[in-house]
Amino acid sequence: MMRKAQGAIEYLFMIAAALVIILIVVRQLQNRGKTASSTANTAETSINNTLNSMLSG
């Protein structure tokens, strides 16, 4: 009986560890998405400013 209980507890710990890893990966992907979006917006603004100055002057 003790072996089955130990196996069940180990199984639950493995599931918990997998969930923690998945949560960490999801957080990292969200942060990278925000950073990429910010970089794209900055580049777009810079390009628009450069094009406007070329057309104006």
Side-chain angles (χ1 to χ4, degrees):
M1 190 68 148
M2 289 293 283
R3 295 274 183 201
K4 287 183 181 180
Q6 181 181 355
I9 291 173
E10 288 175 0
Y11 181 71
L12 290 175
F13 277 127
M14 294 285 280
I15 291 174
L19 288 175
V20 168
I21 291 170
I22 290 169
L23 288 175
I24 290 170
V25 169
V26 167
R27 286 261 175 127
Q28 289 296 319
L29 290 175
Q30 286 177 342
N31 288 338
R32 289 179 191 227
K34 289 177 186 176
T35 302
S37 175
S38 174
T39 302
N41 288 337
T42 302
E44 179 185 8
T45 302
S46 177
I47 291 169
N48 285 337
N49 290 340
T50 303
L51 289 175
N52 285 335
S53 68
M54 292 173 107
L55 292 174
S56 300

